[in-house]
Amino acid sequence: MSVSFFASERLLFDPVTPDAGAIPVIFAFPNEYTVGITSLGYQVVWASLAMRSDVDVRRLFTDVSESLPSSPELLGFSLSWELDYVNVFNLLEKLNISLRSSERTDDDPLVFGGGPVLTANPEPFADFFDVVLLGDGEDLLGNFIEAFKEVRNSNRGTKLRRLAKVPGVYVPSLYEVKYSASGPVESVVPVDADVPAFVEKQTYRGNVLSASSVVTEKAAWENIFMVEVVRSCPEMCRFCLASYLTLPFRTASVESSLMPAIERGLKVTNRLGLLGASVTQHPEFHGLLEYLSKPQFDDVRLSISSVRTNTVTEQLASTLSQRGTKSLTIAVESGSEQVRKIINKKLENSEIIQAAVNAKAGGLSGLKLYGMVGLPGEGVDDLAATVGMMRDLKKAAPGLRLTFGCSTFVPKSHTPFQWFGVNKDAEKRLKKLDKDLGKVGVDFRPESYNWSVIQGLISRGDRRLSFLLELVRGYGDSLGSYRRAFKELKGKLPGLDFYVFENWDVEGFLPWGHLHGPLPVGVLKKHLESAMEYF
C-alpha cells in the first residue's frame, strides 16, 4: 500500500460508508497506478461501486493498493490493453487465486472482467474469468451486483447460473466450444437450456455521459479532468472497433451533462480533456467551444482526444491554441482516395489540406495525422498517394510541423473487416513510407509491426489461446516468444498464420459468434460487400 498516491487524489464524488454486511470487493487495474487512474472507464466503475453502501470496494494496481479485504467475494479487472493479461495473471497469483476459473472453489472470489478488450473478444481470456461484463457499465454494473446479492450465500455454480441470466453478463464456463478438424471454431453452445444461447452487449442510451471521478497529479496526464463528449462514432470506417462495437453514436447534453461536469471539474484543476472517438461531431460542439472561449476559462489548458478532419476550423484551432494546446490529431488513414472509399472514410484530400491551413492560421504549431498500411484492397500506388498528400500539406501550410503516425491494419471482431487477415507486406510498406516521407521532411512514427501481429492474434483468438498465453508469459512479450509457444503447442491449436494472416470464410462461425454486438452479422456482411465493390 502507498498512502502518498491516494493522498494526492481530489475526489469529485462522495464515497459512502459501507454497511456492516457489505460485499467485500477488490477492483483492479492490471497496470501501474498512474496508468489505471488515467482510465476514465476504471474511474467511473470504481466511483459507482464506492457510492453503494452494500459494497465495500478497494482498489488494486500492480504497484500500489488500498487496504485489501482478507476474504473478497468479488474481484474485478478493467482491461484496456491486450498485453495487460500478464498482469492479470500476476495479480491473481499475488492474491493466491488460481489462474483458471475451473480450478477455483467456493472459498475463492468470483473473478469478473470488463473493458474494451473483453467486450471486443473475451474468448482468448475466457478460461481465466468466471464472469465477463459485455458493454457499457452504467446499467450493467448495478444489475450484476443486484443479481449477485440474491445468490451471495449460495455455492459457486448457483451464483454463476444466476448471473448468466443478467443481460450482458457472460459466464464462459457455461458455454461449450466445438472445433472443426481443420482449425476454425464450429460452434459455441450453452451447456443446457437454462443458459441463454446468446449474450448481448449492453448499450447505455442516456444523454449524461462519463466524467472524471478523481483528479490527481499522479495520473499519466497530470491533474487532468476528463469529460466524455460523445460515445461511438457515426462514420463507421469498415475496420473500426471504436465505431462498430459502441454503436449507436450518442452525445452528451451540453446543458445538463457537459457544462455542469466541466464547472465541477474546473473547481479542482485547470486541465480539461474532451474525450470521444469523434468529439467535434457533437451537434452542439460549436456552442461548447464558445462556452469554453469565455474569459473565465482563460487559464484552462484544453486538450481534445480526436477531431474529424473536416471539422478543423480556424476558430477551433484558435481556441485550442489559446488554451495551451500546440497541436491537433486527425485520422486520415491513407492519402489514397481509393483506399478511403474502400474503408468508408468520407474525406477528400482538399479537406485534409484545408484542415492543415486552418490549424496553422489558428495558431497551432503542429498537426499529427494517423494512417494505416495493409488495409484490404491497398496497393503500392496507394502508398505513393500518401506521400504525395503529405508533400501537398507541407506546401499548403509551410512551417506547420507535420507528423504521420502509422499502424498496420489489424482485423477486429464485430467489424466488416473481421474476416480479413493482417497483410504480410505491411512491414515492408511501413519501411517504404519511412524512407519516402523522410525525403519529404515529415516526422514518421510507425507503430510496431510485431505488436500488430500479436494484436491480430488476440483480436481473432479463441479459447485454445489460453494455454499459449500461459506459456508466453514465461518467455516474454516479443513476437518470437509467441512463435516459440506455437511450436511447443503444435497439434493442439492452429498455427499463428490461421489466426493472424488468413482471410476467413465469411460463412464460417466466428469465435465470438455467440456474443452479439450492436449490428447483426448480416449487416456487417453487406458493409463488407460494399467495401469490396471498390477493390
Side-chain angles (χ1 to χ4, degrees):
M1 179 174 170
S2 177
V3 177
S4 64
F5 274 90
F6 301 115
S8 64
E9 292 180 339
R10 280 147 289 156
L11 302 187
L12 290 127
F13 72 101
D14 296 316
V16 300
T17 304
D19 297 336
I23 303 162
V25 178
I26 297 173
F27 187 47
F29 192 94
N31 208 307
E32 294 176 352
Y33 173 85
T34 56
V35 177
I37 209 65
T38 313
S39 161
L40 184 57
Y42 180 81
Q43 283 189 23
V44 169
V45 172
W46 162 63
S48 302
L49 293 171
M51 287 190 286
R52 296 183 64 117
S53 61
D54 54 0
V55 164
D56 184 0
V57 63
R58 307 298 173 90
R59 289 174 292 165
L60 170 65
F61 303 90
T62 54
D63 52 347
V64 294
S65 75
E66 292 176 306
S67 177
L68 300 179
S70 55
S71 300
E73 293 179 38
L74 292 171
L75 166 61
F77 287 95
S78 177
L79 204 58
S80 299
W81 193 52
E82 288 90 341
L83 292 190
D84 275 347
Y85 78 83
V86 174
N87 293 327
V88 173
F89 291 173
N90 294 340
L91 290 172
L92 285 170
E93 286 182 348
K94 185 177 174 182
L95 296 166
N96 293 315
I97 296 167
S98 298
L99 295 191
R100 291 185 171 269
S101 170
S102 59
E103 293 167 9
R104 295 179 197 137
T105 69
D106 285 342
D107 295 329
D108 291 311
L110 288 189
V111 177
F112 72 94
V117 171
L118 292 173
T119 294
N121 177 20
E123 289 305 283
F125 312 106
D127 289 346
F128 309 118
F129 286 93
D130 300 311
V131 172
V132 177
L133 307 185
L134 299 176
D136 297 335
E138 279 87 349
D139 301 319
L140 178 53
L141 188 70
N143 295 342
F144 168 66
I145 297 291
E146 290 302 325
F148 179 79
K149 280 162 66 178
E150 288 176 27
V151 286
R152 185 179 175 187
N153 298 317
S154 305
N155 64 28
R156 196 174 182 78
T158 304
K159 286 175 185 169
L160 292 175
R161 282 182 169 272
R162 171 64 189 93
L163 291 168
K165 293 189 187 306
V166 178
V169 173
Y170 173 43
V171 179
S173 61
L174 297 180
Y175 293 81
E176 190 183 344
V177 186
K178 289 196 172 86
Y179 304 98
S180 64
S182 59
V185 171
E186 210 165 63
S187 66
V188 183
V189 292
V191 293
D192 60 46
D194 283 342
V195 179
F198 304 102
V199 187
E200 202 155 316
K201 176 199 167 282
Q202 296 301 286
T203 302
Y204 167 69
R205 296 182 185 271
N207 65 356
V208 175
L209 299 181
S210 302
S212 286
S213 59
V214 57
V215 169
T216 172
E217 64 193 27
K218 306 286 187 187
W221 297 336
E222 194 177 317
N223 287 321
I224 196 161
F225 176 77
M226 298 173 283
V227 184
E228 187 182 20
V229 177
V230 300
R231 193 171 292 182
S232 193
C233 173
E235 293 305 307
M236 297 168 76
C237 294
R238 302 309 187 207
F239 61 83
C240 184
L241 189 68
S243 179
Y244 274 88
L245 187 65
T246 56
L247 289 168
F249 181 58
R250 286 147 289 163
T251 60
S253 160
V254 171
E255 293 273 321
S256 62
S257 177
L258 294 177
M259 285 182 181
I262 288 167
E263 284 175 15
R264 196 169 66 244
L266 293 180
K267 283 177 184 167
V268 299
T269 184
N270 70 340
R271 191 163 178 206
L272 175 66
L274 303 182
L275 267 57
S278 194
V279 170
T280 51
Q281 279 177 282
H282 191 295
E284 298 173 84
F285 185 76
H286 183 74
L288 180 63
L289 205 59
E290 289 196 334
Y291 168 69
L292 291 171
S293 300
K294 289 179 179 178
Q296 73 194 78
F297 300 125
D298 277 354
D299 72 329
V300 171
R301 286 177 62 202
L302 177 65
S303 53
I304 294 186
S305 57
S306 99
V307 175
R308 176 151 169 79
T309 304
N310 60 6
T311 62
V312 180
T313 60
E314 194 174 325
Q315 185 209 3
L316 171 64
S318 175
T319 302
L320 289 171
S321 173
Q322 288 162 25
R323 296 286 179 268
T325 293
K326 293 186 173 66
S327 67
L328 201 56
T329 299
I330 57 174
V332 298
E333 314 315 343
S334 173
S336 160
E337 306 250 352
Q338 167 74 2
V339 168
R340 291 201 300 268
K341 280 178 185 167
I342 291 171
I343 64 175
N344 196 40
K345 188 87 180 177
K346 298 174 274 290
L347 190 60
E348 304 288 330
N349 273 12
S350 58
E351 292 174 301
I352 300 169
I353 289 168
Q354 192 59 52
V357 170
N358 291 347
K360 188 188 175 194
L364 293 174
S365 58
L367 184 68
K368 182 169 187 178
L369 297 92
Y370 270 120
M372 274 190 186
V373 296
L375 281 159
E378 176 193 77
V380 178
D381 290 352
D382 298 309
L383 299 186
T386 296
V387 175
M389 175 191 72
M390 296 307 290
R391 189 183 290 115
D392 292 344
L393 285 182
K394 276 195 86 77
K395 282 181 193 160
L400 187 70
R401 190 181 69 258
L402 295 176
T403 305
F404 194 77
C406 194
S407 61
T408 297
F409 162 73
V410 172
K412 297 288 184 180
S413 59
H414 306 289
T415 70
F417 283 2
Q418 62 189 348
W419 291 282
F420 285 113
V422 171
N423 188 324
K424 283 190 170 179
D425 290 332
E427 189 170 25
K428 284 182 200 160
R429 292 180 185 182
L430 284 172
K431 285 175 180 167
K432 179 163 177 53
L433 273 183
D434 191 11
K435 183 180 166 191
D436 294 350
L437 287 174
K439 291 174 186 171
V440 179
V442 171
D443 181 13
F444 183 62
R445 296 185 187 173
E447 211 175 81
S448 158
Y449 169 77
N450 286 354
W451 157 235
S452 296
V453 171
I454 294 167
Q455 212 184 357
L457 170 66
I458 292 172
S459 289
R460 296 209 297 180
D462 54 53
R463 294 191 191 183
R464 289 170 291 190
L465 287 192
S466 69
F467 301 102
L468 183 101
L469 297 179
E470 282 189 276
L471 269 182
V472 167
R473 178 193 179 202
Y475 302 156
D477 59 8
S478 70
L479 181 56
S481 301
Y482 284 83
R483 292 190 189 281
R484 179 181 165 192
F486 268 109
K487 273 185 189 167
E488 283 201 34
L489 293 169
K490 198 172 180 184
K492 294 181 182 171
L493 76 169
L496 181 75
D497 279 19
F498 165 76
Y499 289 109
V500 178
F501 299 111
E502 285 182 19
N503 291 341
W504 285 359
D505 178 4
V506 177
E507 299 309 319
F509 189 87
L510 293 160
W512 49 88
H514 57 305
L515 308 173
H516 288 185
L519 295 179
V521 172
V523 174
L524 299 181
K525 286 178 182 175
K526 280 183 185 159
H527 290 185
L528 173 66
E529 284 164 17
S530 69
M532 292 179 76
E533 285 171 12
Y534 292 107
F535 277 27

